């Protein structure tokens, strides 16, 4: 049974780009690559890191960084541009990019977990510790400028 959580965030919107007739998809891909690399680096830097499993003696625990190491970035037509995962989730027939983790619990870190407490009320079991969404919010708005910078002069 697959117990992994998938969170998909899409950056969509109108961009005021004065694209010359016949502008290349390559410029868009390169702009996506620049943007997604910034998102990836930010997400890795801000991914929560906790001590090893509770069964390990407290004085022997070391940060594992498993979720941090699992964060990968892809751009359609360019493949993996950062990270180590070999999964391929973008559609090469489209212009898209993705940042994702494969630790199996990154989605729970991003969104938190909730459950019913002893009083029957919904409560956080683990509060959210977002790291991908804030990275996307910080760097996604740079996409138009990154595309312009990659366009032939």
């Amino acid at each position: 049974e697959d117990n992994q959580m998938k969170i998909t965030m899409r950056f969509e919107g109108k961009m005021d780009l004065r694209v010359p007739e016949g502008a290349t998809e390559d410029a868009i891909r390169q702009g996506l690559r620049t943007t997604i690399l910034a998102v990836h680096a930010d997400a890795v830097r801000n991914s929560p890191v906790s001590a090893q499993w509770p069964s390990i003696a407290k004085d022997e625990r070391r940060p594992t960084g498993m979720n941090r190491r699992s964060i990968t970035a892809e751009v359609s037509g360019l493949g993996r541009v950062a990270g180590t995962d070999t999964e391929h989730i973008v559609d090469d027939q489209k212009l898209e990019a993705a940042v994702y983790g494969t630790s199996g619990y990154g989605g729970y870190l991003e969104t938190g977990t909730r459950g019913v407490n002893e009083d029957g009320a919904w409560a956080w079991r683990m509060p959210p510790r977002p790291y991908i969404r804030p990275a996307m919010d910080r760097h996604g708005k740079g996409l138009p400028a990154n595309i312009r910078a990659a366009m032939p002069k």
Side-chain angles (χ1 to χ4, degrees):
E1 180 177 305
D2 186 2
N3 64 354
Q4 293 189 4
M5 174 186 233
K6 182 176 181 180
I7 296 175
T8 302
M9 289 182 272
R10 301 218 184 274
F11 176 80
E12 297 178 12
K14 295 180 181 177
M15 291 183 269
D16 183 20
L17 291 175
R18 304 281 186 247
V19 180
E21 185 68 30
T24 65
E25 287 186 3
D26 185 54
I28 297 170
R29 278 195 172 81
Q30 291 306 318
L32 278 170
R33 181 181 186 278
T34 300
T35 302
I36 215 67
L37 284 172
V39 171
H40 175 270
D42 196 331
V44 167
R45 183 174 45 258
N46 291 306
S47 172
V49 177
S50 62
Q52 289 178 346
W53 305 105
S55 60
I56 298 173
K58 210 168 203 162
D59 59 336
E60 296 177 17
R61 293 181 191 174
R62 302 288 181 268
T64 65
M66 181 178 164
N67 188 67
R68 186 173 280 184
R69 286 190 311 275
S70 81
I71 301 171
T72 300
E74 283 184 60
V75 176
S76 60
L78 300 177
R80 184 180 66 238
V81 295
T84 58
D85 190 60
T86 58
E87 185 177 347
H88 186 65
I89 66 168
V90 298
D91 182 346
D92 286 335
Q93 303 305 311
K94 298 179 181 178
L95 290 169
E96 60 183 23
V99 172
Y100 58 93
T102 58
S103 67
Y105 59 87
Y108 299 118
L109 292 171
E110 182 81 21
T111 64
T113 59
R114 289 176 24 127
V116 178
N117 66 16
E118 59 276 355
D119 297 327
W122 282 97
W124 289 110
R125 292 180 187 239
M126 182 181 78
R129 294 181 278 169
Y131 57 100
I132 292 179
R133 179 59 187 253
M136 183 61 114
D137 289 345
R138 277 189 286 278
H139 302 287
K141 60 184 167 252
L143 179 59
N146 291 335
I147 292 172
R148 278 190 213 101
M151 290 174 60
K153 306 295 182 231

